[in-house]
PDB file of all heavy atoms in Angstrom:
ATOM      1  N   ILE A 272       0.457 -13.944 -29.769  1.00 73.00           N
ATOM      2  CA  ILE A 272       0.914 -12.578 -30.018  1.00 73.00           C
ATOM      3  C   ILE A 272       2.328 -12.579 -30.588  1.00 73.00           C
ATOM      4  O   ILE A 272       2.654 -11.825 -31.513  1.00 73.00           O
ATOM      5  CB  ILE A 272       0.863 -11.752 -28.714  1.00 73.00           C
ATOM      6  CG1 ILE A 272      -0.590 -11.611 -28.241  1.00 73.00           C
ATOM      7  CG2 ILE A 272       1.483 -10.370 -28.911  1.00 73.00           C
ATOM      8  CD1 ILE A 272      -0.739 -10.972 -26.862  1.00 73.00           C
ATOM      9  N   LEU A 273       3.194 -13.438 -30.061  1.00 73.00           N
ATOM     10  CA  LEU A 273       4.569 -13.534 -30.560  1.00 73.00           C
ATOM     11  C   LEU A 273       4.591 -14.005 -32.012  1.00 73.00           C
ATOM     12  O   LEU A 273       5.402 -13.521 -32.819  1.00 73.00           O
ATOM     13  CB  LEU A 273       5.383 -14.487 -29.686  1.00 73.00           C
ATOM     14  CG  LEU A 273       5.730 -13.977 -28.274  1.00 73.00           C
ATOM     15  CD1 LEU A 273       6.397 -15.082 -27.462  1.00 73.00           C
ATOM     16  CD2 LEU A 273       6.652 -12.758 -28.363  1.00 73.00           C
ATOM     17  N   ASP A 274       3.701 -14.944 -32.341  1.00 71.00           N
ATOM     18  CA  ASP A 274       3.616 -15.430 -33.716  1.00 71.00           C
ATOM     19  C   ASP A 274       3.176 -14.305 -34.657  1.00 71.00           C
ATOM     20  O   ASP A 274       3.713 -14.148 -35.762  1.00 71.00           O
ATOM     21  CB  ASP A 274       2.633 -16.604 -33.779  1.00 71.00           C
ATOM     22  CG  ASP A 274       2.607 -17.244 -35.151  1.00 71.00           C
ATOM     23  OD1 ASP A 274       3.683 -17.669 -35.632  1.00 71.00           O
ATOM     24  OD2 ASP A 274       1.519 -17.321 -35.762  1.00 71.00           O
ATOM     25  N   LYS A 275       2.218 -13.497 -34.191  1.00 72.00           N
ATOM     26  CA  LYS A 275       1.751 -12.354 -34.977  1.00 72.00           C
ATOM     27  C   LYS A 275       2.853 -11.325 -35.134  1.00 72.00           C
ATOM     28  O   LYS A 275       3.019 -10.708 -36.199  1.00 72.00           O
ATOM     29  CB  LYS A 275       0.529 -11.732 -34.302  1.00 72.00           C
ATOM     30  CG  LYS A 275      -0.075 -10.565 -35.069  1.00 72.00           C
ATOM     31  CD  LYS A 275      -1.317 -10.038 -34.351  1.00 72.00           C
ATOM     32  CE  LYS A 275      -1.922  -8.849 -35.098  1.00 72.00           C
ATOM     33  NZ  LYS A 275      -3.129  -8.326 -34.405  1.00 72.00           N
ATOM     34  N   LEU A 276       3.648 -11.143 -34.079  1.00 64.00           N
ATOM     35  CA  LEU A 276       4.759 -10.195 -34.109  1.00 64.00           C
ATOM     36  C   LEU A 276       5.797 -10.606 -35.141  1.00 64.00           C
ATOM     37  O   LEU A 276       6.321  -9.771 -35.895  1.00 64.00           O
ATOM     38  CB  LEU A 276       5.385 -10.106 -32.713  1.00 64.00           C
ATOM     39  CG  LEU A 276       6.601  -9.184 -32.557  1.00 64.00           C
ATOM     40  CD1 LEU A 276       6.209  -7.741 -32.826  1.00 64.00           C
ATOM     41  CD2 LEU A 276       7.188  -9.331 -31.158  1.00 64.00           C
ATOM     42  N   ARG A 277       6.103 -11.908 -35.180  1.00 66.00           N
ATOM     43  CA  ARG A 277       7.100 -12.410 -36.147  1.00 66.00           C
ATOM     44  C   ARG A 277       6.615 -12.250 -37.583  1.00 66.00           C
ATOM     45  O   ARG A 277       7.389 -11.941 -38.489  1.00 66.00           O
ATOM     46  CB  ARG A 277       7.406 -13.878 -35.844  1.00 66.00           C
ATOM     47  CG  ARG A 277       8.276 -14.085 -34.608  1.00 66.00           C
ATOM     48  CD  ARG A 277       8.756 -15.519 -34.528  1.00 66.00           C
ATOM     49  NE  ARG A 277       7.655 -16.453 -34.310  1.00 66.00           N
ATOM     50  CZ  ARG A 277       7.241 -16.847 -33.108  1.00 66.00           C
ATOM     51  NH1 ARG A 277       7.843 -16.365 -32.018  1.00 66.00           N
ATOM     52  NH2 ARG A 277       6.240 -17.689 -32.976  1.00 66.00           N
ATOM     53  N   LYS A 278       5.320 -12.458 -37.803  1.00 67.00           N
ATOM     54  CA  LYS A 278       4.785 -12.433 -39.153  1.00 67.00           C
ATOM     55  C   LYS A 278       4.538 -11.011 -39.674  1.00 67.00           C
ATOM     56  O   LYS A 278       4.810 -10.704 -40.827  1.00 67.00           O
ATOM     57  CB  LYS A 278       3.478 -13.223 -39.205  1.00 67.00           C
ATOM     58  CG  LYS A 278       3.669 -14.725 -39.011  1.00 67.00           C
ATOM     59  CD  LYS A 278       2.321 -15.448 -39.070  1.00 67.00           C
ATOM     60  CE  LYS A 278       2.494 -16.958 -38.923  1.00 67.00           C
ATOM     61  NZ  LYS A 278       1.185 -17.667 -38.940  1.00 67.00           N
ATOM     62  N   SER A 279       3.994 -10.139 -38.782  1.00 69.00           N
ATOM     63  CA  SER A 279       3.534  -8.838 -39.267  1.00 69.00           C
ATOM     64  C   SER A 279       4.231  -7.639 -38.642  1.00 69.00           C
ATOM     65  O   SER A 279       3.969  -6.501 -39.029  1.00 69.00           O
ATOM     66  CB  SER A 279       2.016  -8.708 -39.015  1.00 69.00           C
ATOM     67  OG  SER A 279       1.324  -9.815 -39.574  1.00 69.00           O
ATOM     68  N   GLY A 280       5.083  -7.860 -37.651  1.00 66.00           N
ATOM     69  CA  GLY A 280       5.794  -6.745 -37.033  1.00 66.00           C
ATOM     70  C   GLY A 280       5.058  -6.157 -35.842  1.00 66.00           C
ATOM     71  O   GLY A 280       3.870  -6.429 -35.632  1.00 66.00           O
ATOM     72  N   TYR A 281       5.777  -5.319 -35.080  1.00 63.00           N
ATOM     73  CA  TYR A 281       5.230  -4.759 -33.841  1.00 63.00           C
ATOM     74  C   TYR A 281       4.037  -3.832 -34.102  1.00 63.00           C
ATOM     75  O   TYR A 281       3.097  -3.751 -33.316  1.00 63.00           O
ATOM     76  CB  TYR A 281       6.324  -3.973 -33.105  1.00 63.00           C
ATOM     77  CG  TYR A 281       5.924  -3.484 -31.740  1.00 63.00           C
ATOM     78  CD1 TYR A 281       5.883  -4.348 -30.651  1.00 63.00           C
ATOM     79  CD2 TYR A 281       5.580  -2.150 -31.535  1.00 63.00           C
ATOM     80  CE1 TYR A 281       5.517  -3.908 -29.391  1.00 63.00           C
ATOM     81  CE2 TYR A 281       5.214  -1.694 -30.270  1.00 63.00           C
ATOM     82  CZ  TYR A 281       5.184  -2.583 -29.208  1.00 63.00           C
ATOM     83  OH  TYR A 281       4.816  -2.138 -27.965  1.00 63.00           O
ATOM     84  N   GLY A 282       4.057  -3.141 -35.243  1.00 67.00           N
ATOM     85  CA  GLY A 282       2.992  -2.203 -35.564  1.00 67.00           C
ATOM     86  C   GLY A 282       1.654  -2.850 -35.777  1.00 67.00           C
ATOM     87  O   GLY A 282       0.615  -2.184 -35.716  1.00 67.00           O
ATOM     88  N   SER A 283       1.637  -4.155 -36.037  1.00 73.00           N
ATOM     89  CA  SER A 283       0.376  -4.850 -36.283  1.00 73.00           C
ATOM     90  C   SER A 283      -0.351  -5.221 -34.997  1.00 73.00           C
ATOM     91  O   SER A 283      -1.509  -5.628 -35.038  1.00 73.00           O
ATOM     92  CB  SER A 283       0.638  -6.124 -37.100  1.00 73.00           C
ATOM     93  OG  SER A 283       1.391  -7.062 -36.334  1.00 73.00           O
ATOM     94  N   LEU A 284       0.316  -5.082 -33.862  1.00 71.00           N
ATOM     95  CA  LEU A 284      -0.299  -5.468 -32.582  1.00 71.00           C
ATOM     96  C   LEU A 284      -1.265  -4.398 -32.102  1.00 71.00           C
ATOM     97  O   LEU A 284      -1.035  -3.198 -32.276  1.00 71.00           O
ATOM     98  CB  LEU A 284       0.779  -5.681 -31.507  1.00 71.00           C
ATOM     99  CG  LEU A 284       1.855  -6.728 -31.786  1.00 71.00           C
ATOM    100  CD1 LEU A 284       2.785  -6.849 -30.586  1.00 71.00           C
ATOM    101  CD2 LEU A 284       1.245  -8.090 -32.111  1.00 71.00           C
TER     102      LEU A 284
END
Side-chain angles (χ1 to χ4, degrees):
I272 296 172
L273 289 173
D274 186 56
K275 182 178 179 180
L276 178 64
R277 286 191 294 269
K278 291 180 178 178
S279 306
Y281 187 77
S283 67
L284 302 183

